[in-house]
Amino acid sequence: MNTTTYFQAINPTTNESLEKQFKNTSIEELNDAVAKATLAFASYRKKDKETIANFLEQIAEEIINLGDELITVCNQETGLPVGRLQGERGRTVNQLKLFASVVREGSWVDARIDTAISDRVPLPKSDIRHILIPLGPVAVFGASNFPLAFSTAGGDTASALASGCPVIVKGHEAHPHTSALIADAILKAVATCNMPDGVFTLLQGNTRSLGEALVKHKDIKAVGFTGSFNGGKALFDYANQRLEPIPVFAEMGSTNPVFILPGALKEKAVIIAEGLVASIAMGVGQFCTSPGISFIENGSGIEQFYQTLKQKVTNTDSGTMLTPSIKIAYERGLKKLQEVQEVEEIAAGLEEVAVNNSTVRLFKTTVENYQREAFLAEENFGPSSIIIESNSKEQILESARNLQGHLTATIFGTDEDFENYSELFDILELKVGRVLVNGYPTGVEVCHSMVHGGPFPATTASNSTSVGTGAIKRFVRPVCFQDFPHNKLPKALQNDNPLSLFRIVNGTITNDKIE
Amino acid sequence: MNTTTYFQAINPTTNESLEKQFKNTSIEELNDAVAKATLAFASYRKKDKETIANFLEQIAEEIINLGDELITVCNQETGLPVGRLQGERGRTVNQLKLFASVVREGSWVDARIDTAISDRVPLPKSDIRHILIPLGPVAVFGASNFPLAFSTAGGDTASALASGCPVIVKGHEAHPHTSALIADAILKAVATCNMPDGVFTLLQGNTRSLGEALVKHKDIKAVGFTGSFNGGKALFDYANQRLEPIPVFAEMGSTNPVFILPGALKEKAVIIAEGLVASIAMGVGQFCTSPGISFIENGSGIEQFYQTLKQKVTNTDSGTMLTPSIKIAYERGLKKLQEVQEVEEIAAGLEEVAVNNSTVRLFKTTVENYQREAFLAEENFGPSSIIIESNSKEQILESARNLQGHLTATIFGTDEDFENYSELFDILELKVGRVLVNGYPTGVEVCHSMVHGGPFPATTASNSTSVGTGAIKRFVRPVCFQDFPHNKLPKALQNDNPLSLFRIVNGTITNDKIE
């Protein structure tokens, strides 16, 4: 198929196609991009930390320089409100700056040095030095729900560039113009900072085959993905079927269970319910960390809890979903849910007033029914959520034990609850990437301690995070150098510690020089 | 198939079956072991670092307490010389102690703390704390070639236990009695240290189906393996086809290319050739890091090099291979090699004097022939090695560029060579886990900086090492705790830093308390 094809984004608030056309990337263009990235890798990976940090900061600056056009275009393509997009731009820019700071500090490379002992018996000990090195060109698949912070210059791109890997982004077909603007900003930074040609490429396309070809390209060395389970799992399988399997860091979302313990329900039913509805409604339920399921125990406060939920939901505005296909999938899931026996709709939000609008819908059922109907544990991406009513502590704990992997789990409780449900903490930390207490999972802080990940099926790589500075360690591997001439060692491993890193020297963590 | 079957090891020096019979583990026994390990995990993962360190040290002590019987039995089952096995026992014991020291120091858990900023605008910042937690029961497949250091209580077991994971070892069918003795030692340590029942189990068996069932068991959370490419790749595929894919850390060996540069060849042909033959012959060529291929440039010193190789090889004793099937596979590979056009045998060692004996065989060919015959780049596990003769620097560099992933690569050179072949360093570090200068790859130091790993097909997980303390990070994943009550945090994350760890606190590496 050598015919050139084009595609347009759809304005989800009108269902009309936007004017600007985008060419589907051909296989030749894909191959060319990977070849350039491979070439760029040779020099990019050797750049000093200051140069890479400056590059990341320059990207941030160029994104700001795009000004209002970025927000306007993105709003047209995603239906996300201007205020939200301005906030997300801030997050995107700060994320790049935070990675710059990690690169500048530099200790993330895990420098380890074991010095020689030439007179050791029975065998002399060699000088061995260990460092993390970047893997090579990384393929990044942007998310539709964070068109700035988890797309073209989002967390995956920032962390891969920070680690020394060139990036090829398969742009999300729902916001190609946004992607194109961001790619322009990155390419300006590439030029300003004299970075090698090919260190970043955006490939536009609305076919699955483009993504498949990218992941299967022999010179792609790792994949970052944020999106649906089916999408992420497909890439994971492609990657493992390659002649040379490569790692896929796919964040595939989850239901983000919430546990509301009896003391909290009794003391804070109203405030918890209000916050829960706000969290469910956030971004029209299209956050990876949206709380899709809550476990409560029948007891004091429960009436007040339901009453507040109802009241709050009933007054919640509907909102535009990101794409017509997300809206369709959501409605399909909703229909399926409504057909499940003994699932009761507690409340629905204000009427849908435009195309692709959805409104919050809250359901409840018994824990027995939940245990029977596996479907109830599945994510339905959108603003619906279900309350599971238990009658005992044991049922709560059993529900926790039977959870699959999720991104987050949340516990609402009093100090007394925490003692009584102590086991719940132990169970949940094995099920998720982030456990929260008395808060809501929506809102993912970009910081050093964040884990936005978790056991399968939340991700395909529970050993990592896709948000926060820990993400830089996804796209690297260790290598060690034995008895190297000192001038052939990277600076990070030289005796006088010219980069002032914390290193493990003969087993001791230190930022001292080696005498 | 519910019939109980038994198997015996073979003494490779006689090809006779050893007396002791071992029962093939049934699926029921396997399930029972995993169930016990899962139960043990709940308490084992919560043990404090001192307790786990003591446990590892106690295992070391119990292995020493096995005394001469261990060496005698292992010698009968593997044909490895007593002196070598005594050395390997020392390495096994020291490995356990080294992991104990890492556990006791404790900073490997990557504690990260971002403290709250309640008055941040527009949104308050939560308190978030990050730590690595163990994955759960780990399946370990021991290697035949290191029946102590990479088998039942070898590196995989030591690192998994150190990280807080229970271990189920599928014992290697070639040395079941050795495995049984070591398992007894571990179980004594389990009892002495009051460790939970099921924290360690040895499963004996000589069927592939046992290993397959183990990897496919839903409660196994990771796999460590050392062995052949076919074996490791099969486990990797099983693991990825599971409903919940799990990581497989398979070390599958490699050809360990050696590059002998012109200056070194000229100045040190004799000494390099002597060392090379010794390295090839070591353990009858049955080391994962055995140098199977060497690249040289035609030039000054080459005659002396070949002469020395010939002389040295011709005087090298044959030795007993580990198992009859390894011997058969090696002979098959040798035959295939000898049938390749333009491959010349330089020399063969002293005649084979007993069953399963093999002798060193050295071959050479041209780089052009090497480029034509993909087979020449493949590992043939045993004491054969091939010299590839180039005529130019560019051919040397091109050979390096075309390498697949290997465990090690070695450069012999003078300072002048290092300048002239500077690019070789850059190429090789992308191809292997360990790059050596003027040394031999056999002999893998167990230390903090070691990387015994490398890109596929050397391993299925280039992001890790299977030797050295870095191995502890294979069997863990990050989790973070948001706004936790302080008494619910693990000690590693508490404000007063009771474990005195190095941590990342608000982006700064420090072992200070938080005020």
Side-chain angles (χ1 to χ4, degrees):
Chain A
M1 217 181 45
N2 278 319
T3 332
T4 304
T5 57
Y6 294 83
F7 71 101
Q8 294 149 275
I10 290 166
N11 182 333
T13 65
T14 62
N15 260 358
E16 281 168 12
S17 290
L18 290 161
E19 209 169 310
K20 202 165 164 68
Q21 295 216 323
F22 295 89
K23 195 166 92 61
N24 269 304
T25 303
S26 69
I27 292 297
E28 291 69 32
E29 289 163 332
L30 164 71
N31 289 340
D32 186 50
V34 180
K36 276 188 180 154
T38 304
L39 212 61
F41 179 52
S43 61
Y44 185 62
R45 74 187 188 89
K46 295 285 184 183
K47 298 288 180 199
D48 65 38
K49 57 186 197 167
E50 192 60 29
T51 306
I52 288 186
N54 289 341
F55 174 45
L56 295 173
E57 287 168 345
Q58 189 64 33
I59 295 172
E61 197 172 318
E62 296 294 353
I63 289 172
I64 293 297
N65 290 345
L66 292 170
D68 288 346
E69 188 190 2
L70 176 66
I71 305 297
T72 309
V73 162
C74 194
N75 166 263
Q76 283 172 355
E77 291 188 323
T78 64
L80 292 170
V82 165
R84 142 76 195 265
L85 290 173
Q86 286 167 334
E88 192 182 328
R89 177 176 58 188
R91 176 178 158 177
T92 308
V93 162
N94 287 336
Q95 186 164 253
L96 285 157
K97 291 179 182 169
L98 186 66
F99 278 108
S101 75
V102 169
V103 169
R104 202 168 266 132
E105 194 283 324
S107 299
W108 73 273
V109 300
D110 196 11
R112 298 169 174 229
I113 298 172
D114 286 279
T115 54
I117 307 175
S118 53
D119 58 354
R120 189 181 64 171
V121 282
L123 288 170
K125 186 180 180 192
S126 288
D127 181 289
I128 304 178
R129 305 189 183 216
H130 163 292
I131 194 171
L132 299 176
I133 61 170
L135 291 176
V138 171
V140 169
F141 292 76
S144 61
N145 61 341
F146 281 86
L148 302 175
F150 260 77
S151 188
T152 311
D156 288 335
T157 298
S159 56
L161 289 176
S163 71
C165 295
V167 170
I168 297 177
V169 170
K170 154 69 180 71
H172 199 287
E173 66 269 26
H175 53 256
H177 197 173
T178 304
S179 298
L181 288 175
I182 295 281
D184 285 348
I186 298 175
L187 293 175
K188 271 193 187 167
V190 168
T192 306
C193 300
N194 280 313
M195 289 293 148
D197 187 30
V199 73
F200 174 86
T201 308
L202 167 67
L203 306 180
Q204 299 271 23
N206 72 344
T207 65
R208 282 185 78 106
S209 59
L210 176 62
E212 180 179 343
L214 182 59
V215 171
K216 288 183 171 172
H217 193 294
K218 72 173 179 43
D219 291 329
I220 291 294
K221 296 299 181 188
V223 178
F225 170 90
T226 304
S228 70
F229 176 80
N230 289 337
K233 184 59 164 54
L235 299 186
F236 177 74
D237 289 341
Y238 295 149
N240 284 317
Q241 289 153 10
R242 289 167 47 122
L243 213 55
E244 178 197 355
I246 53 172
V248 173
F249 301 94
E251 190 273 83
M252 306 182 292
S254 73
T255 328
N256 303 296
V258 173
F259 292 81
I260 303 164
L261 302 182
L265 192 64
K266 187 174 169 187
E267 286 182 18
K268 298 182 285 185
V270 171
I271 198 166
I272 294 171
E274 284 178 351
L276 187 61
V277 175
S279 184
I280 294 164
M282 204 172 277
V284 200
Q286 298 166 116
F287 278 22
C288 308
T289 52
S290 190
I293 195 160
S294 299
F295 297 90
I296 61 170
E297 239 177 277
N298 202 340
S300 186
I302 196 166
E303 286 313 317
Q304 219 183 358
F305 181 67
Y306 283 130
Q307 218 166 42
T308 312
L309 287 178
K310 202 166 173 169
Q311 197 173 15
K312 179 87 182 171
V313 167
T314 317
N315 290 304
T316 299
D317 284 328
S318 69
T320 306
M321 297 197 83
L322 289 154
T323 68
S325 60
I326 287 177
K327 166 72 177 170
I328 290 165
Y330 173 63
E331 290 295 335
R332 199 184 301 130
L334 214 48
K335 188 146 174 274
K336 212 169 149 191
L337 179 63
Q338 284 159 336
E339 282 166 4
V340 176
Q341 298 275 318
E342 297 175 40
V343 169
E344 182 191 332
E345 184 165 303
I346 303 175
L350 291 166
E351 212 173 317
E352 292 141 4
V353 293
V355 290
N356 297 318
N357 256 216
S358 285
T359 196
V360 174
R361 285 176 193 277
L362 210 53
F363 301 86
K364 74 169 187 180
T365 195
T366 61
V367 72
E368 291 83 3
N369 197 36
Y370 167 75
Q371 284 160 356
R372 271 193 304 271
E373 297 281 353
F375 170 72
L376 297 180
E378 283 175 27
E379 182 183 15
N380 185 21
F381 193 68
S384 88
S385 195
I386 186 164
I387 313 289
I388 310 295
E389 219 180 280
S390 295
N391 291 303
S392 71
K393 173 176 156 184
E394 189 39 46
Q395 284 178 330
I396 290 280
L397 295 179
E398 196 54 24
S399 296
R401 281 188 208 105
N402 291 331
L403 288 171
Q404 285 194 295
H406 291 271
L407 296 171
T408 71
T410 301
I411 302 171
F412 283 96
T414 60
D415 288 349
E416 201 188 330
D417 287 330
F418 300 150
E419 288 320 302
N420 291 340
Y421 287 76
S422 188
E423 206 184 331
L424 186 60
F425 286 82
D426 290 337
I427 297 168
L428 292 180
E429 76 174 28
L430 296 180
K431 301 290 185 178
V432 304
R434 178 165 56 119
V435 188
L436 300 86
V437 166
N438 291 334
Y440 299 91
T442 43
V444 181
E445 184 77 30
V446 182
C447 62
H448 303 281
S449 307
M450 178 51 65
V451 179
H452 188 63
F456 189 89
T459 77
T460 54
S462 78
N463 65 339
S464 66
T465 174
S466 68
V467 175
T469 61
I472 197 172
K473 294 218 179 179
R474 293 177 297 170
F475 303 117
V476 294
R477 67 172 180 87
V479 66
C480 75
F481 307 116
Q482 184 166 327
D483 292 328
F484 257 40
H486 203 264
N487 64 0
K488 286 286 169 196
L489 288 168
K491 278 186 182 167
L493 297 178
Q494 291 176 3
N495 285 343
D496 59 352
N497 197 10
L499 305 182
S500 301
L501 309 183
F502 275 93
R503 312 188 290 189
I504 301 181
V505 178
N506 296 318
T508 300
I509 300 170
T510 171
N511 57 359
D512 287 349
K513 302 176 181 205
I514 296 171
E515 299 301 331
Chain B
M1 217 180 48
N2 277 320
T3 330
T4 304
T5 57
Y6 294 82
F7 70 102
Q8 295 148 275
I10 292 167
N11 182 333
T13 65
T14 63
N15 259 358
E16 281 168 14
S17 291
L18 291 162
E19 210 170 309
K20 202 167 163 65
Q21 294 217 322
F22 295 89
K23 194 166 92 60
N24 269 304
T25 303
S26 68
I27 292 298
E28 291 69 31
E29 288 163 333
L30 163 71
N31 289 339
D32 185 50
V34 180
K36 276 187 179 153
T38 304
L39 212 60
F41 179 52
S43 60
Y44 185 62
R45 74 188 189 88
K46 296 285 184 182
K47 298 288 181 200
D48 63 39
K49 58 185 197 169
E50 192 60 29
T51 305
I52 289 186
N54 289 341
F55 174 43
L56 296 172
E57 287 168 345
Q58 188 65 34
I59 295 173
E61 197 172 317
E62 296 294 353
I63 289 172
I64 293 298
N65 290 343
L66 291 171
D68 289 345
E69 188 190 1
L70 177 66
I71 304 297
T72 309
V73 162
C74 194
N75 166 263
Q76 283 172 355
E77 291 188 323
T78 64
L80 292 171
V82 165
R84 142 75 195 266
L85 289 173
Q86 286 166 334
E88 192 182 329
R89 177 176 58 188
R91 176 177 159 178
T92 307
V93 161
N94 287 335
Q95 187 163 253
L96 285 157
K97 290 179 183 170
L98 187 65
F99 277 109
S101 76
V102 169
V103 169
R104 202 167 265 132
E105 194 283 323
S107 299
W108 73 273
V109 300
D110 196 11
R112 298 168 174 230
I113 297 171
D114 287 279
T115 53
I117 307 175
S118 53
D119 57 354
R120 189 180 65 172
V121 283
L123 289 170
K125 186 179 180 192
S126 289
D127 180 289
I128 304 177
R129 303 187 184 218
H130 164 293
I131 193 170
L132 299 176
I133 61 170
L135 291 176
V138 172
V140 168
F141 292 76
S144 62
N145 60 342
F146 281 86
L148 301 175
F150 259 77
S151 189
T152 311
D156 289 335
T157 298
S159 56
L161 288 176
S163 70
C165 294
V167 170
I168 297 178
V169 170
K170 155 65 180 74
H172 199 286
E173 66 269 25
H175 53 257
H177 197 173
T178 305
S179 299
L181 288 175
I182 295 280
D184 285 348
I186 299 176
L187 293 175
K188 271 193 188 167
V190 168
T192 306
C193 299
N194 280 313
M195 289 293 147
D197 186 32
V199 73
F200 174 86
T201 309
L202 168 66
L203 306 180
Q204 299 272 22
N206 72 344
T207 65
R208 282 187 78 106
S209 58
L210 176 63
E212 180 180 343
L214 182 59
V215 171
K216 288 183 172 173
H217 193 296
K218 72 174 179 43
D219 291 330
I220 290 295
K221 296 300 181 187
V223 178
F225 170 91
T226 304
S228 70
F229 176 80
N230 289 338
K233 184 59 163 54
L235 299 187
F236 177 74
D237 290 340
Y238 296 148
N240 284 318
Q241 288 153 10
R242 288 166 48 121
L243 213 56
E244 178 197 355
I246 55 172
V248 173
F249 301 94
E251 190 273 81
M252 305 182 293
S254 73
T255 328
N256 304 296
V258 173
F259 292 82
I260 302 164
L261 302 183
L265 192 64
K266 188 175 170 188
E267 287 182 19
K268 298 181 287 184
V270 172
I271 197 166
I272 294 171
E274 285 178 349
L276 187 61
V277 175
S279 184
I280 293 164
M282 204 171 279
V284 200
Q286 299 166 115
F287 278 22
C288 307
T289 52
S290 189
I293 196 160
S294 299
F295 296 91
I296 61 171
E297 239 178 278
N298 203 339
S300 186
I302 195 164
E303 286 313 317
Q304 219 182 358
F305 181 68
Y306 284 130
Q307 222 166 40
T308 313
L309 287 179
K310 202 166 173 168
Q311 197 173 14
K312 179 88 182 172
V313 167
T314 317
N315 290 305
T316 300
D317 284 328
S318 69
T320 306
M321 298 197 83
L322 289 155
T323 68
S325 60
I326 287 177
K327 166 72 178 169
I328 291 165
Y330 173 63
E331 289 296 336
R332 199 184 300 130
L334 214 50
K335 187 147 177 273
K336 213 170 149 190
L337 179 63
Q338 284 158 335
E339 282 165 4
V340 176
Q341 299 273 319
E342 296 174 42
V343 170
E344 181 190 334
E345 183 165 304
I346 303 175
L350 292 167
E351 212 172 319
E352 292 142 4
V353 292
V355 290
N356 297 319
N357 256 214
S358 285
T359 196
V360 173
R361 285 174 193 278
L362 210 53
F363 301 86
K364 73 170 188 180
T365 195
T366 60
V367 72
E368 291 83 3
N369 197 36
Y370 167 75
Q371 284 160 357
R372 271 192 303 270
E373 298 280 353
F375 171 73
L376 297 179
E378 284 175 27
E379 182 184 13
N380 186 21
F381 193 68
S384 88
S385 195
I386 187 164
I387 313 289
I388 309 296
E389 220 180 280
S390 294
N391 292 304
S392 70
K393 173 177 156 183
E394 189 40 45
Q395 285 178 330
I396 291 280
L397 295 179
E398 196 56 21
S399 297
R401 280 186 209 107
N402 291 332
L403 289 172
Q404 285 193 297
H406 292 270
L407 296 171
T408 71
T410 301
I411 302 171
F412 282 95
T414 60
D415 287 349
E416 201 188 331
D417 287 330
F418 300 149
E419 287 320 303
N420 292 340
Y421 287 75
S422 187
E423 205 184 331
L424 187 59
F425 287 82
D426 290 337
I427 297 168
L428 291 180
E429 73 173 30
L430 296 181
K431 301 290 186 178
V432 304
R434 178 165 56 118
V435 189
L436 300 87
V437 167
N438 291 335
Y440 299 92
T442 42
V444 181
E445 184 76 30
V446 182
C447 61
H448 303 281
S449 308
M450 178 50 66
V451 179
H452 188 63
F456 189 90
T459 77
T460 54
S462 78
N463 65 339
S464 66
T465 174
S466 67
V467 176
T469 61
I472 198 173
K473 294 219 179 179
R474 294 177 297 169
F475 303 117
V476 294
R477 67 172 180 87
V479 65
C480 75
F481 307 115
Q482 184 165 328
D483 292 328
F484 257 40
H486 204 265
N487 65 0
K488 286 287 168 196
L489 288 168
K491 278 186 182 166
L493 297 178
Q494 292 177 2
N495 285 343
D496 58 353
N497 197 10
L499 305 182
S500 301
L501 309 183
F502 275 92
R503 312 189 290 189
I504 301 180
V505 178
N506 296 318
T508 300
I509 300 170
T510 171
N511 57 0
D512 288 349
K513 302 176 183 206
I514 296 171
E515 299 301 331

